[in-house]
Amino acid sequence: MENNKQTIDSLLDELFLYFKNAQYHKVTVSSYRSCWNRVKDFMLDNGIKYYDRNVGKAFLKGELGDFVYGNLSDKQKSLVNRTEALYKFQSTGRIPVGGKQLPPKEFEGEIGHIIKRFISYRKETLGLAKKTVHSYTIYLHSFYLYLNNAGIRQIKDFNACSLLSYVKQMDQTASAKQHVTLNILRIFFRYLHEHGILPADYSQVVPKDSYKESDKLPSTFTDEEIKAILNAIDRGSPKGKRDYAMLLIAMRLGLRASDITGLRFENIIWERNVISIEQQKTGEPLELPLLPEIGNAIIDYLKHGRPVSKAPQCFLRAQAPYVPITYSCLGNVVVRYMRLAGINCVKRKHGPHALRHCFASALLKEKVPLPVISELLGHKNMSSSMGYLRVDLASLRECALEVPPVPLSFYNIGINNKQERRI
């Protein structure tokens, strides 16, 4: 849909028609309109006729200067998100739900182009997964911004002191993040040396760390806490009906957040009372029983809570636009009801995955064999399920073998041997 010769008035007319068709709330529309009117005034003041992404970037620079998104206030971030939404709509014909997506990581100038070539090289030669490419982009963008702020915009101005200064200012308490950053920098500088971009191999200068990933106990919650979370939900409201059904699925079936939010009508086979899905994480099929309380909760939501929509997914946003709920939104839902229930989450994970741990722990208490638990959790191999054993001390104690008492004759043999050696 991208139109590089589109006036701001034409673009805004399309946007507000989109808002109307998607049934956006008037307060939300008003907040977008306020921001976009400022962009329009900027274009009029500078004699700019057509809108494109560079116009949005120029507007933001005039408003915020050379900014780092993470350092902005909530109000400033909102300005960035709403300005980015103009280009998002212009290029895709839609606006991401919530408008809170971080702006893309852009690399400009000589060093920026070198970083982009490096990422492309690694992606093409090693066939890196999308998630890995994203990690490279995130961590190297932080490094790129640091160099920009330090006035280093050409590779010839870079030296070992620049590298060590960047490492020194890193958050030393975030050991895992620091470990990943150092590894990526080491690979990046080895690439620069091997391809003749830098004469010195600064990968040797990147400090080594002693980070070791430790196995953490899975977070879980007691039966009383689970009941308190469910009781905190207002099941009389459409949103409460949706949230109750989703949390029941997480607690009673142990589905991942991505599989709950992606659940479609076709996945619920009422005739057989089962839920049959293809797991988004593994791509493997999984079939689980449709428990009566879950089935009733889903029916209650579909009949009395779900907005009218042609979306094939079961669970939708409670406010317009009525699109499928995201897994991050489900995370916020879980946290909200834990707070309402007064659950102490200090030193405990408190998202949808913690409810998955509760499901596994409950099965262990019922003496369900580990291979069955592994199958219900949708794990590819049983080793992935072994971690759940550590949360159930009672079951672990049952696994311990009884040590038989040592006969007194054993100790007498030891004493006799010592006496014989003395003789």
Side-chain angles (χ1 to χ4, degrees):
M1 179 178 172
E2 187 170 356
N3 183 356
N4 293 326
K5 293 293 183 180
Q6 188 172 27
T7 65
I8 186 66
D9 287 326
S10 171
L11 178 59
L12 293 182
D13 286 344
E14 292 181 11
L15 271 162
F16 290 123
L17 179 60
Y18 169 83
F19 280 156
K20 182 179 179 180
N21 293 334
Q23 302 179 22
Y24 270 68
H25 195 279
K26 61 181 180 180
V27 175
T28 303
V29 176
S30 177
S31 67
Y32 275 97
R33 188 190 299 273
S34 176
C35 167
W36 293 339
N37 282 340
R38 291 169 63 181
V39 176
K40 182 178 178 178
D41 291 341
F42 168 81
M43 293 177 66
L44 290 173
D45 292 341
N46 291 274
I48 302 172
K49 185 176 181 180
Y50 299 112
Y51 185 84
D52 60 25
R53 190 172 207 173
N54 289 329
V55 174
K57 290 166 66 175
F59 164 74
L60 289 174
K61 186 170 184 179
E63 294 285 327
L64 306 173
D66 293 323
F67 64 89
V68 176
Y69 186 86
N71 297 336
L72 299 178
S73 66
D74 289 343
K75 187 175 181 180
Q76 291 171 325
K77 288 179 180 178
S78 178
L79 179 65
V80 174
N81 291 333
R82 279 157 171 66
T83 304
E84 276 290 320
L86 280 170
Y87 177 74
K88 290 275 180 67
F89 180 81
Q90 190 179 49
S91 58
T92 67
R94 60 182 296 271
I95 294 179
V97 175
K100 298 180 181 179
Q101 288 73 16
L102 295 180
K105 307 298 182 185
E106 295 185 342
F107 298 95
E108 298 178 346
E110 182 185 85
I111 294 180
H113 290 306
I114 290 173
I115 292 176
K116 286 195 293 186
R117 288 205 307 269
F118 163 72
I119 295 175
S120 296
Y121 172 80
R122 297 285 294 181
K123 181 180 178 181
E124 292 169 3
T125 57
L126 299 179
L128 297 180
K130 185 178 180 180
K131 184 177 180 180
T132 305
V133 173
H134 180 67
S135 294
Y136 274 55
T137 304
I138 293 295
Y139 290 107
L140 288 176
H141 191 261
S142 296
F143 181 57
Y144 162 79
L145 290 178
Y146 174 81
L147 295 181
N148 258 1
N149 292 334
I152 302 172
R153 292 178 171 82
Q154 292 184 313
I155 200 67
K156 65 181 180 62
D157 298 327
F158 184 83
N159 54 44
C161 291
S162 308
L163 171 58
L164 294 175
S165 296
Y166 175 69
V167 173
K168 186 176 181 180
Q169 60 84 46
M170 290 168 59
D171 184 0
Q172 303 299 315
T173 61
S175 56
K177 181 178 178 181
Q178 184 185 46
H179 177 70
V180 174
T181 302
L182 293 178
N183 280 341
I184 291 177
L185 287 176
R186 200 171 287 115
I187 296 170
F188 175 58
F189 284 110
R190 189 178 301 122
Y191 163 87
L192 296 184
H193 177 63
E194 291 176 351
H195 288 76
I197 300 172
L198 278 177
D201 184 4
Y202 290 120
S203 67
Q204 304 296 323
V205 181
V206 178
K208 295 183 179 180
D209 63 330
S210 57
Y211 172 78
K212 290 183 179 179
E213 186 174 1
S214 57
D215 291 331
K216 296 181 181 180
L217 287 174
S219 299
T220 188
F221 296 85
T222 64
D223 294 342
E224 290 72 22
E225 289 172 327
I226 292 296
K227 291 178 182 177
I229 294 170
L230 292 176
N231 289 335
I233 303 174
D234 176 15
R235 296 172 59 186
S237 68
K239 183 177 183 298
K241 294 179 186 296
R242 180 202 67 186
D243 296 345
Y244 183 73
M246 291 193 301
L247 264 61
L248 267 185
I249 293 174
M251 294 172 177
R252 305 290 192 251
L253 298 181
L255 278 186
R256 298 182 181 92
S258 57
D259 292 327
I260 295 174
T261 56
L263 189 68
R264 294 169 172 254
F265 294 113
E266 65 196 55
N267 299 134
I268 306 175
I269 306 175
W270 299 99
E271 297 82 5
R272 295 173 48 218
N273 287 328
V274 297
I275 292 178
S276 181
I277 64 169
E278 181 179 290
Q279 299 172 87
Q280 292 193 28
K281 181 177 180 179
T282 64
E284 298 291 326
L286 177 65
E287 189 169 284
L288 297 170
L290 180 61
L291 303 177
E293 60 175 335
I294 294 177
N296 290 333
I298 293 176
I299 291 173
D300 186 32
Y301 168 64
L302 296 181
K303 291 179 65 176
H304 307 295
R306 188 179 187 272
V308 177
S309 172
K310 294 181 180 179
Q313 290 83 0
C314 293
F315 302 114
L316 307 181
R317 279 169 48 91
Q319 296 179 338
Y322 301 121
V323 295
I325 189 173
T326 63
Y327 68 88
S328 59
C329 185
L330 176 56
N332 294 332
V333 167
V334 174
V335 171
R336 177 173 181 268
Y337 290 116
M338 284 185 176
R339 288 174 179 168
L340 288 176
I343 305 298
N344 182 4
C345 296
V346 177
K347 295 184 179 181
R348 285 195 291 183
K349 298 287 186 181
H350 43 277
H353 213 70
L355 302 183
R356 183 169 159 85
H357 293 155
C358 293
F359 169 71
S361 181
L363 293 178
L364 280 172
K365 290 177 182 177
E366 294 297 324
K367 307 296 186 295
V368 177
L370 189 58
V372 177
I373 296 177
S374 181
E375 184 176 348
L376 291 173
L377 289 172
H379 287 153
K380 281 189 172 182
N381 52 69
M382 201 163 61
S383 61
S384 302
S385 309
M386 292 299 290
Y388 295 104
L389 275 173
R390 296 176 293 137
V391 303
D392 191 348
L393 295 178
S395 295
L396 280 177
R397 291 190 183 101
E398 290 185 6
C399 294
L401 296 176
E402 185 177 347
V403 179
V406 180
L408 292 176
S409 57
F410 173 82
Y411 299 103
N412 292 333
I413 292 173
I415 295 172
N416 293 334
N417 287 341
K418 284 183 180 180
Q419 289 176 346
E420 289 177 0
R421 282 198 296 270
R422 289 174 183 172
I423 295 172

